[in-house]
Amino acid sequence: MYLHEAVCRALLDARVDHMFGLVGDGNLFLVDSFSKAGGAYIAAGHEAGAVMMAHGFTLSSGRVGVATTTHGPGLTNTLTALVDAAIGRIPLLVIVGDTARDDITSVQNIDQREFVAPTGAGFETVRAPDSSLAQLTSVLTRVEAESRPYVLNVPVEYWWQDVEYAVSKRPVVDRVARASADAVEEAVGVIASARRPLILAGRGTTSASGSLAVQRLAARLEAPIATTLKAKDAFNASGNAIGLFGGLAQPWTLEVVGASDCVIALGAGLNHRTTEKGSLLAGKRVVQVDIDASRVGTVPNVDVSILGDVASTVDAVIELLDEGEVQPTGFFSDEARAKFRASVMPAAPVESSHGAVTLGETLQWLNGLLKEQRTVVIDGGRFMFSVFHDIETDGARGWIEPINFGSIGLGLGAAIGAYFGQPDRPVLLLTGDGGFMLGGLTEFSTAVRAGADLVVAVLNDAAYGMEHVQLMRRGLKGASTEVPWPDLAPVAVALGGAGTTIRTSADFADAERLVDERTTPVLLDIKLDVNDLPLPY
């Protein structure tokens, strides 16, 4: 069979049943064969959107997302999305065509490896048609094992070469790594001597086994559980959750963090944002457990760093605690939990002096939309700092925030992929007007064509809000950051979706009916006053 047919068969045999992309000379026949073979192909409006769809699919489904683009500009258009995925350690694969090796006159002939290398993504070029299927299997394995994006580069002249299809058995990637006994003993020594231990859980704990392990350790120690942003709301049902750790923490959470004398960081990157440049760890003993070697041992003032799987390491820690008859600390006993819950005060919506709806009341209303079972996706923007606290999720795969690179405009692609990762769950995307116009407008029509169950809330202050704040803080006029966008609801309708504009609280009822009765993606153009928005920090 031809190579483009063989690659599609190999993908389907590897349980890759969705592909997101944009066709061109370099990948046209791959896409055609994938659709004919029974795979679901979702055509994006922009190559960055295709990669973000694979990104959202990975986080939502727990399986490797796959995107495809053509050569030259098809690849270079993906670079921002690749950087975001690399920083976020998102395992996904981009299959990209390359110009023929002897076609030195092509206007799209570039050294594609050199463009991908700075993004942090892996890169592999198919060396020959006969070895291509083995290389595909190898790259899929490395995507999972290294937990990062890879680009598989296929010279265009290979697609029509005859190859013999042979199943290249894909190894099972087992991310369970047993920590050394000495390291576990040292960690138990630190934990057993603590009187007020606190667990910091990151995305590395959101698997089923990791989640259960965190809850077992919290119960065993009577310790509170704080989370990084990546694991937001993942442990709310446990009764021990106290909210976000780090610069995003609420005052009542910081009070508990401040009282703790030991932080047990499980599957959490102890970066400067999480630790507030180390200040939240000052004066505390710290134990770090992570399966990612790049994050272990890189933070100063960590007493014990353990390279290992969270679940198996926690089990070993609990076993030694039991053997030593170490008693629960009482730091987060039933009484302490009740006292903490009583201290948590919901923020009251700020009343506008200009008649427009406020961000506070808007988020309070949005928090009730699709509440039973939804996936929440956050784009970048000034609003997001309020969203982190005011929008609730069911944790783990219900929360996706593709803002690892600090870019706006990547959210709608991720939202489409998230829907296809869990098509039984509607997706609520919160984006700013700048982000929507940058990347969302292009992919809203993709959502319509693909039939995604999606509600897009555009928090529209008609400005680039983060930049507006900086000018205003220095007493400068913000006119250069303000943009009089057209009304977006009619644009959504013109693209085949549904849309409505929200200017006052009275508009919420009509908007909610539109969402409840939706048969196509819905856009809510929510008009906010740029001068009434809360400061981002």
PDB file of all heavy atoms in Angstrom, residues 128-154:
ATOM      1  N   ALA A 128      13.327   7.011   5.580  1.00  0.00           N
ATOM      2  CA  ALA A 128      13.028   6.248   4.366  1.00  0.00           C
ATOM      3  C   ALA A 128      11.619   5.697   4.489  1.00  0.00           C
ATOM      4  O   ALA A 128      11.148   5.438   5.607  1.00  0.00           O
ATOM      5  CB  ALA A 128      14.031   5.114   4.166  1.00  0.00           C
ATOM      6  N   PRO A 129      10.916   5.494   3.374  1.00  0.00           N
ATOM      7  CA  PRO A 129       9.551   4.962   3.451  1.00  0.00           C
ATOM      8  C   PRO A 129       9.468   3.646   4.223  1.00  0.00           C
ATOM      9  O   PRO A 129       8.554   3.451   5.032  1.00  0.00           O
ATOM     10  CB  PRO A 129       9.163   4.789   1.986  1.00  0.00           C
ATOM     11  CG  PRO A 129       9.964   5.812   1.267  1.00  0.00           C
ATOM     12  CD  PRO A 129      11.280   5.861   1.981  1.00  0.00           C
ATOM     13  N   ASP A 130      10.427   2.750   4.012  1.00  0.00           N
ATOM     14  CA  ASP A 130      10.357   1.432   4.633  1.00  0.00           C
ATOM     15  C   ASP A 130      10.488   1.477   6.159  1.00  0.00           C
ATOM     16  O   ASP A 130      10.007   0.576   6.850  1.00  0.00           O
ATOM     17  CB  ASP A 130      11.446   0.518   4.056  1.00  0.00           C
ATOM     18  CG  ASP A 130      11.146   0.110   2.618  1.00  0.00           C
ATOM     19  OD1 ASP A 130       9.977   0.241   2.195  1.00  0.00           O
ATOM     20  OD2 ASP A 130      12.084  -0.318   1.924  1.00  0.00           O
ATOM     21  N   SER A 131      11.141   2.496   6.671  1.00  0.00           N
ATOM     22  CA  SER A 131      11.318   2.590   8.121  1.00  0.00           C
ATOM     23  C   SER A 131      10.326   3.550   8.771  1.00  0.00           C
ATOM     24  O   SER A 131      10.357   3.753   9.980  1.00  0.00           O
ATOM     25  CB  SER A 131      12.740   3.047   8.447  1.00  0.00           C
ATOM     26  OG  SER A 131      12.974   4.346   7.922  1.00  0.00           O
ATOM     27  N   SER A 132       9.441   4.122   7.966  1.00  0.00           N
ATOM     28  CA  SER A 132       8.571   5.191   8.467  1.00  0.00           C
ATOM     29  C   SER A 132       7.601   4.723   9.541  1.00  0.00           C
ATOM     30  O   SER A 132       7.336   5.446  10.511  1.00  0.00           O
ATOM     31  CB  SER A 132       7.803   5.836   7.312  1.00  0.00           C
ATOM     32  OG  SER A 132       7.007   4.868   6.662  1.00  0.00           O
ATOM     33  N   LEU A 133       7.040   3.533   9.401  1.00  0.00           N
ATOM     34  CA  LEU A 133       6.054   3.067  10.382  1.00  0.00           C
ATOM     35  C   LEU A 133       6.710   2.793  11.727  1.00  0.00           C
ATOM     36  O   LEU A 133       6.132   3.098  12.787  1.00  0.00           O
ATOM     37  CB  LEU A 133       5.340   1.816   9.866  1.00  0.00           C
ATOM     38  CG  LEU A 133       4.546   1.996   8.563  1.00  0.00           C
ATOM     39  CD1 LEU A 133       3.815   0.709   8.208  1.00  0.00           C
ATOM     40  CD2 LEU A 133       3.568   3.158   8.677  1.00  0.00           C
ATOM     41  N   ALA A 134       7.932   2.256  11.694  1.00  0.00           N
ATOM     42  CA  ALA A 134       8.659   2.043  12.942  1.00  0.00           C
ATOM     43  C   ALA A 134       8.983   3.377  13.600  1.00  0.00           C
ATOM     44  O   ALA A 134       8.909   3.519  14.827  1.00  0.00           O
ATOM     45  CB  ALA A 134       9.933   1.254  12.676  1.00  0.00           C
ATOM     46  N   GLN A 135       9.341   4.382  12.767  1.00  0.00           N
ATOM     47  CA  GLN A 135       9.617   5.699  13.328  1.00  0.00           C
ATOM     48  C   GLN A 135       8.366   6.331  13.920  1.00  0.00           C
ATOM     49  O   GLN A 135       8.423   6.981  14.969  1.00  0.00           O
ATOM     50  CB  GLN A 135      10.203   6.614  12.253  1.00  0.00           C
ATOM     51  CG  GLN A 135      11.676   6.368  11.973  1.00  0.00           C
ATOM     52  CD  GLN A 135      12.241   7.429  11.044  1.00  0.00           C
ATOM     53  OE1 GLN A 135      12.290   7.228   9.840  1.00  0.00           O
ATOM     54  NE2 GLN A 135      12.659   8.535  11.617  1.00  0.00           N
ATOM     55  N   LEU A 136       7.221   6.152  13.272  1.00  0.00           N
ATOM     56  CA  LEU A 136       5.964   6.673  13.801  1.00  0.00           C
ATOM     57  C   LEU A 136       5.675   6.075  15.172  1.00  0.00           C
ATOM     58  O   LEU A 136       5.323   6.783  16.125  1.00  0.00           O
ATOM     59  CB  LEU A 136       4.813   6.380  12.840  1.00  0.00           C
ATOM     60  CG  LEU A 136       3.402   6.710  13.340  1.00  0.00           C
ATOM     61  CD1 LEU A 136       3.261   8.208  13.615  1.00  0.00           C
ATOM     62  CD2 LEU A 136       2.353   6.251  12.328  1.00  0.00           C
ATOM     63  N   THR A 137       5.839   4.763  15.283  1.00  0.00           N
ATOM     64  CA  THR A 137       5.612   4.100  16.570  1.00  0.00           C
ATOM     65  C   THR A 137       6.573   4.616  17.627  1.00  0.00           C
ATOM     66  O   THR A 137       6.192   4.878  18.776  1.00  0.00           O
ATOM     67  CB  THR A 137       5.782   2.577  16.421  1.00  0.00           C
ATOM     68  OG1 THR A 137       4.830   2.092  15.477  1.00  0.00           O
ATOM     69  CG2 THR A 137       5.579   1.872  17.748  1.00  0.00           C
ATOM     70  N   SER A 138       7.831   4.801  17.235  1.00  0.00           N
ATOM     71  CA  SER A 138       8.839   5.308  18.168  1.00  0.00           C
ATOM     72  C   SER A 138       8.491   6.712  18.652  1.00  0.00           C
ATOM     73  O   SER A 138       8.587   7.022  19.852  1.00  0.00           O
ATOM     74  CB  SER A 138      10.207   5.315  17.486  1.00  0.00           C
ATOM     75  OG  SER A 138      11.175   5.963  18.289  1.00  0.00           O
ATOM     76  N   VAL A 139       8.063   7.573  17.732  1.00  0.00           N
ATOM     77  CA  VAL A 139       7.745   8.946  18.102  1.00  0.00           C
ATOM     78  C   VAL A 139       6.518   8.992  19.009  1.00  0.00           C
ATOM     79  O   VAL A 139       6.487   9.743  19.999  1.00  0.00           O
ATOM     80  CB  VAL A 139       7.548   9.820  16.851  1.00  0.00           C
ATOM     81  CG1 VAL A 139       6.939  11.164  17.207  1.00  0.00           C
ATOM     82  CG2 VAL A 139       8.882  10.026  16.145  1.00  0.00           C
ATOM     83  N   LEU A 140       5.489   8.209  18.705  1.00  0.00           N
ATOM     84  CA  LEU A 140       4.309   8.169  19.575  1.00  0.00           C
ATOM     85  C   LEU A 140       4.691   7.736  20.987  1.00  0.00           C
ATOM     86  O   LEU A 140       4.159   8.252  21.980  1.00  0.00           O
ATOM     87  CB  LEU A 140       3.260   7.222  18.993  1.00  0.00           C
ATOM     88  CG  LEU A 140       2.414   7.759  17.837  1.00  0.00           C
ATOM     89  CD1 LEU A 140       1.600   6.639  17.198  1.00  0.00           C
ATOM     90  CD2 LEU A 140       1.496   8.883  18.295  1.00  0.00           C
ATOM     91  N   THR A 141       5.628   6.800  21.080  1.00  0.00           N
ATOM     92  CA  THR A 141       6.086   6.338  22.389  1.00  0.00           C
ATOM     93  C   THR A 141       6.835   7.442  23.118  1.00  0.00           C
ATOM     94  O   THR A 141       6.631   7.678  24.313  1.00  0.00           O
ATOM     95  CB  THR A 141       7.004   5.108  22.223  1.00  0.00           C
ATOM     96  OG1 THR A 141       6.289   4.074  21.542  1.00  0.00           O
ATOM     97  CG2 THR A 141       7.462   4.593  23.579  1.00  0.00           C
ATOM     98  N   ARG A 142       7.683   8.159  22.387  1.00  0.00           N
ATOM     99  CA  ARG A 142       8.475   9.224  23.010  1.00  0.00           C
ATOM    100  C   ARG A 142       7.592  10.403  23.432  1.00  0.00           C
ATOM    101  O   ARG A 142       7.859  11.063  24.446  1.00  0.00           O
ATOM    102  CB  ARG A 142       9.574   9.674  22.049  1.00  0.00           C
ATOM    103  CG  ARG A 142      10.650   8.610  21.890  1.00  0.00           C
ATOM    104  CD  ARG A 142      11.476   8.819  20.637  1.00  0.00           C
ATOM    105  NE  ARG A 142      12.322   9.997  20.713  1.00  0.00           N
ATOM    106  CZ  ARG A 142      13.086  10.412  19.709  1.00  0.00           C
ATOM    107  NH1 ARG A 142      13.083   9.762  18.561  1.00  0.00           N
ATOM    108  NH2 ARG A 142      13.836  11.484  19.861  1.00  0.00           N
ATOM    109  N   VAL A 143       6.552  10.677  22.658  1.00  0.00           N
ATOM    110  CA  VAL A 143       5.611  11.738  23.036  1.00  0.00           C
ATOM    111  C   VAL A 143       5.075  11.485  24.443  1.00  0.00           C
ATOM    112  O   VAL A 143       5.035  12.395  25.287  1.00  0.00           O
ATOM    113  CB  VAL A 143       4.452  11.814  22.021  1.00  0.00           C
ATOM    114  CG1 VAL A 143       3.281  12.598  22.590  1.00  0.00           C
ATOM    115  CG2 VAL A 143       4.919  12.459  20.720  1.00  0.00           C
ATOM    116  N   GLU A 144       4.677  10.248  24.703  1.00  0.00           N
ATOM    117  CA  GLU A 144       4.127   9.912  26.023  1.00  0.00           C
ATOM    118  C   GLU A 144       5.205   9.831  27.089  1.00  0.00           C
ATOM    119  O   GLU A 144       5.044  10.336  28.198  1.00  0.00           O
ATOM    120  CB  GLU A 144       3.374   8.588  25.936  1.00  0.00           C
ATOM    121  CG  GLU A 144       2.059   8.661  25.196  1.00  0.00           C
ATOM    122  CD  GLU A 144       1.232   7.417  25.395  1.00  0.00           C
ATOM    123  OE1 GLU A 144       1.459   6.435  24.676  1.00  0.00           O
ATOM    124  OE2 GLU A 144       0.370   7.432  26.297  1.00  0.00           O
ATOM    125  N   ALA A 145       6.321   9.169  26.736  1.00  0.00           N
ATOM    126  CA  ALA A 145       7.373   8.963  27.732  1.00  0.00           C
ATOM    127  C   ALA A 145       7.999  10.276  28.177  1.00  0.00           C
ATOM    128  O   ALA A 145       8.324  10.460  29.353  1.00  0.00           O
ATOM    129  CB  ALA A 145       8.444   8.036  27.162  1.00  0.00           C
ATOM    130  N   GLU A 146       8.176  11.220  27.233  1.00  0.00           N
ATOM    131  CA  GLU A 146       8.800  12.502  27.547  1.00  0.00           C
ATOM    132  C   GLU A 146       7.782  13.574  27.895  1.00  0.00           C
ATOM    133  O   GLU A 146       8.158  14.672  28.319  1.00  0.00           O
ATOM    134  CB  GLU A 146       9.652  12.960  26.365  1.00  0.00           C
ATOM    135  CG  GLU A 146      10.787  12.005  26.030  1.00  0.00           C
ATOM    136  CD  GLU A 146      11.518  12.379  24.742  1.00  0.00           C
ATOM    137  OE1 GLU A 146      11.480  13.570  24.360  1.00  0.00           O
ATOM    138  OE2 GLU A 146      12.125  11.486  24.110  1.00  0.00           O
ATOM    139  N   SER A 147       6.507  13.274  27.697  1.00  0.00           N
ATOM    140  CA  SER A 147       5.416  14.207  27.981  1.00  0.00           C
ATOM    141  C   SER A 147       5.696  15.579  27.360  1.00  0.00           C
ATOM    142  O   SER A 147       5.765  16.599  28.047  1.00  0.00           O
ATOM    143  CB  SER A 147       5.194  14.347  29.490  1.00  0.00           C
ATOM    144  OG  SER A 147       3.994  15.059  29.748  1.00  0.00           O
ATOM    145  N   ARG A 148       5.818  15.585  26.034  1.00  0.00           N
ATOM    146  CA  ARG A 148       6.019  16.833  25.309  1.00  0.00           C
ATOM    147  C   ARG A 148       5.597  16.636  23.855  1.00  0.00           C
ATOM    148  O   ARG A 148       5.441  15.507  23.394  1.00  0.00           O
ATOM    149  CB  ARG A 148       7.476  17.297  25.370  1.00  0.00           C
ATOM    150  CG  ARG A 148       8.492  16.382  24.682  1.00  0.00           C
ATOM    151  CD  ARG A 148       9.812  17.107  24.520  1.00  0.00           C
ATOM    152  NE  ARG A 148      10.861  16.239  24.007  1.00  0.00           N
ATOM    153  CZ  ARG A 148      11.933  16.679  23.362  1.00  0.00           C
ATOM    154  NH1 ARG A 148      12.084  17.980  23.127  1.00  0.00           N
ATOM    155  NH2 ARG A 148      12.864  15.843  22.948  1.00  0.00           N
ATOM    156  N   PRO A 149       5.393  17.729  23.111  1.00  0.00           N
ATOM    157  CA  PRO A 149       5.001  17.597  21.708  1.00  0.00           C
ATOM    158  C   PRO A 149       6.172  17.167  20.841  1.00  0.00           C
ATOM    159  O   PRO A 149       7.335  17.455  21.152  1.00  0.00           O
ATOM    160  CB  PRO A 149       4.540  19.016  21.341  1.00  0.00           C
ATOM    161  CG  PRO A 149       5.273  19.909  22.281  1.00  0.00           C
ATOM    162  CD  PRO A 149       5.440  19.137  23.556  1.00  0.00           C
ATOM    163  N   TYR A 150       5.847  16.458  19.766  1.00  0.00           N
ATOM    164  CA  TYR A 150       6.833  16.062  18.766  1.00  0.00           C
ATOM    165  C   TYR A 150       6.311  16.425  17.385  1.00  0.00           C
ATOM    166  O   TYR A 150       5.092  16.404  17.140  1.00  0.00           O
ATOM    167  CB  TYR A 150       7.083  14.555  18.802  1.00  0.00           C
ATOM    168  CG  TYR A 150       8.373  14.166  19.501  1.00  0.00           C
ATOM    169  CD1 TYR A 150       8.434  14.070  20.885  1.00  0.00           C
ATOM    170  CD2 TYR A 150       9.530  13.908  18.769  1.00  0.00           C
ATOM    171  CE1 TYR A 150       9.605  13.715  21.532  1.00  0.00           C
ATOM    172  CE2 TYR A 150      10.713  13.550  19.404  1.00  0.00           C
ATOM    173  CZ  TYR A 150      10.751  13.453  20.779  1.00  0.00           C
ATOM    174  OH  TYR A 150      11.918  13.110  21.404  1.00  0.00           O
ATOM    175  N   VAL A 151       7.233  16.748  16.490  1.00  0.00           N
ATOM    176  CA  VAL A 151       6.917  16.947  15.077  1.00  0.00           C
ATOM    177  C   VAL A 151       7.534  15.799  14.298  1.00  0.00           C
ATOM    178  O   VAL A 151       8.741  15.548  14.403  1.00  0.00           O
ATOM    179  CB  VAL A 151       7.469  18.297  14.570  1.00  0.00           C
ATOM    180  CG1 VAL A 151       7.290  18.408  13.053  1.00  0.00           C
ATOM    181  CG2 VAL A 151       6.775  19.461  15.272  1.00  0.00           C
ATOM    182  N   LEU A 152       6.696  15.077  13.541  1.00  0.00           N
ATOM    183  CA  LEU A 152       7.186  14.029  12.639  1.00  0.00           C
ATOM    184  C   LEU A 152       7.193  14.609  11.229  1.00  0.00           C
ATOM    185  O   LEU A 152       6.150  14.950  10.676  1.00  0.00           O
ATOM    186  CB  LEU A 152       6.293  12.791  12.709  1.00  0.00           C
ATOM    187  CG  LEU A 152       6.743  11.618  11.817  1.00  0.00           C
ATOM    188  CD1 LEU A 152       8.090  11.073  12.293  1.00  0.00           C
ATOM    189  CD2 LEU A 152       5.696  10.505  11.812  1.00  0.00           C
ATOM    190  N   ASN A 153       8.369  14.737  10.655  1.00  0.00           N
ATOM    191  CA  ASN A 153       8.601  15.427   9.392  1.00  0.00           C
ATOM    192  C   ASN A 153       8.700  14.397   8.258  1.00  0.00           C
ATOM    193  O   ASN A 153       9.568  13.522   8.293  1.00  0.00           O
ATOM    194  CB  ASN A 153       9.914  16.219   9.515  1.00  0.00           C
ATOM    195  CG  ASN A 153      10.120  17.221   8.419  1.00  0.00           C
ATOM    196  OD1 ASN A 153       9.356  18.163   8.298  1.00  0.00           O
ATOM    197  ND2 ASN A 153      11.160  17.032   7.622  1.00  0.00           N
ATOM    198  N   VAL A 154       7.798  14.490   7.274  1.00  0.00           N
ATOM    199  CA  VAL A 154       7.740  13.487   6.205  1.00  0.00           C
ATOM    200  C   VAL A 154       7.988  14.155   4.849  1.00  0.00           C
ATOM    201  O   VAL A 154       7.156  14.959   4.398  1.00  0.00           O
ATOM    202  CB  VAL A 154       6.373  12.773   6.185  1.00  0.00           C
ATOM    203  CG1 VAL A 154       6.402  11.637   5.161  1.00  0.00           C
ATOM    204  CG2 VAL A 154       6.001  12.251   7.566  1.00  0.00           C
TER     205      VAL A 154
END
